[in-house]
Amino acid sequence: RKMSENGAWSQQVSYWREKLRDVPMLQLPTDRPLPSNQTYQGASESWDMPAKLSKEVRALCRAEGATLFTTLLASFAVLLNRYSGQFDIPIGTSITGRNRREFDQMIGYFVNVLVMRNDLSDQPSFVQLLRRVHQTFLEGLQHQDVPFELLVKELQPGRNAAYNPLFQVFFLLLQTEKRAELTLDTNLENVPVPSVTSKFDLSVQVEDSGEQLTVIAEYNTDFFHQRTIQGMLRIWGNLLRSIVNSPDSIISNYSLLE
């Protein structure tokens, strides 16, 4: 309420209005024609990144002073560029929303969605793109207080019942190495639950256990076949190998083949 009353939200909305002006729809090639209304039929595919590649990706992060999140997000943007042929790549991501100390012990759902608009139009090297993505994310964090639903209402983007407003692909990194300490002699085990819905056309979640990186792709089955998503994950792995071997190369020069 205070932010709304003192005009802080207005300033943040102005930032997003300029940042997301004429944001395009990401048009990935689909296996089926787009339905007239957005559907949520889904499935998921997972891929355990090989240990060697995981170590090389983390080494690249250290060398460039980048986070694992921005490095993987930048590489994912390159992948979407190669699939779609577009150079303006909007990707949604979520943040905890607990950006004030007073929120630390408060019960409630604070998660918000940010739209990361990635510009690949001038054929940057991967390192240049990584720095660009990092700066875009920092700016997003500085303007994260406006709830996504309110932002959509304020910006009033062209709406279509067939797809999500402002972005169609979602990306998330989860740190999973920390587990709750139990006083009982109890073992904890992750039990994967098959996905039967998809909130977006494509949603990619990378789980970081501290050693293993596991990629889970949730996709709309009215758009994509299983083999298409399996191929996309395999190609992303090939792209990452090319990137860690030559991070200063122009992004269009990377091979998608093994």
Side-chain angles (χ1 to χ4, degrees), residues 36-161:
S36 58
N37 290 293
Q38 188 175 11
T39 67
Y40 301 94
Q41 301 295 323
S44 62
E45 285 293 319
S46 64
W47 170 58
D48 290 330
M49 191 179 297
K52 182 177 182 294
L53 180 57
S54 296
K55 291 179 181 179
E56 291 172 338
V57 170
R58 294 182 196 277
L60 175 61
C61 294
R62 291 191 296 270
E64 298 300 329
T67 64
L68 182 60
F69 170 78
T70 53
T71 301
L72 291 174
L73 178 62
S75 69
F76 187 53
V78 175
L79 179 72
L80 296 177
N81 158 251
R82 300 293 284 273
Y83 265 82
S84 67
Q86 296 176 226
F87 295 90
D88 189 351
I89 309 291
I91 302 174
T93 190
S94 64
I95 55 173
T96 61
R98 295 179 181 271
N99 59 334
R100 296 179 61 91
R101 187 173 301 172
E102 297 90 332
F103 297 160
D104 289 349
Q105 302 301 319
M106 189 176 294
I107 297 173
Y109 185 77
F110 288 80
V111 174
N112 196 16
V113 172
L114 296 183
V115 183
M116 301 284 292
R117 190 171 182 177
N118 304 279
D119 179 15
L120 288 70
S121 60
D122 56 349
Q123 287 296 321
S125 69
F126 181 77
V127 169
Q128 291 173 327
L129 176 62
L130 180 57
R131 294 168 183 164
R132 193 176 299 174
V133 169
H134 177 72
Q135 182 60 37
T136 298
F137 184 58
L138 288 182
E139 290 181 6
L141 290 179
Q142 294 169 359
H143 300 85
Q144 65 172 290
D145 297 303
V146 183
F148 180 73
E149 295 80 5
L150 176 61
L151 187 63
V152 173
K153 181 179 179 181
E154 290 288 335
L155 300 187
Q156 296 185 348
R159 300 299 298 269
N160 188 308

Side-chain angles (χ1 to χ4, degrees), residues 143-256:
H143 300 85
Q144 65 172 290
D145 297 303
V146 183
F148 180 73
E149 295 80 5
L150 176 61
L151 187 63
V152 173
K153 181 179 179 181
E154 290 288 335
L155 300 187
Q156 296 185 348
R159 300 299 298 269
N160 188 308
Y163 54 85
N164 194 66
L166 300 180
F167 68 91
Q168 292 74 50
V169 174
F170 191 81
F171 180 86
L172 182 64
L173 174 68
L174 286 181
Q175 305 287 340
T176 61
E177 72 274 21
K178 294 182 179 179
R179 292 183 173 182
E181 295 183 1
L182 301 180
T183 57
L184 301 177
D185 184 15
T186 304
N187 293 323
L188 299 180
E189 179 184 358
N190 288 327
V191 178
V193 179
S195 175
V196 294
T197 61
S198 179
K199 295 178 286 293
F200 308 103
D201 296 0
L202 175 64
S203 178
V204 171
Q205 175 177 300
V206 181
E207 296 184 355
D208 178 14
S209 67
E211 296 180 359
Q212 178 70 54
L213 293 176
T214 300
V215 181
I216 301 173
E218 183 182 270
Y219 61 97
N220 191 312
T221 53
D222 286 334
F223 291 2
F224 304 107
H225 294 313
Q226 179 186 36
R227 62 179 178 273
T228 299
I229 302 303
Q230 291 172 337
M232 179 178 286
L233 294 179
R234 183 175 63 255
I235 289 173
W236 191 17
N238 298 338
L239 175 62
L240 281 169
R241 291 184 185 92
S242 295
I243 288 172
V244 297
N245 288 331
S246 182
D248 290 312
S249 292
I250 302 301
I251 58 172
S252 61
N253 291 342
Y254 290 128
S255 174
L256 302 184

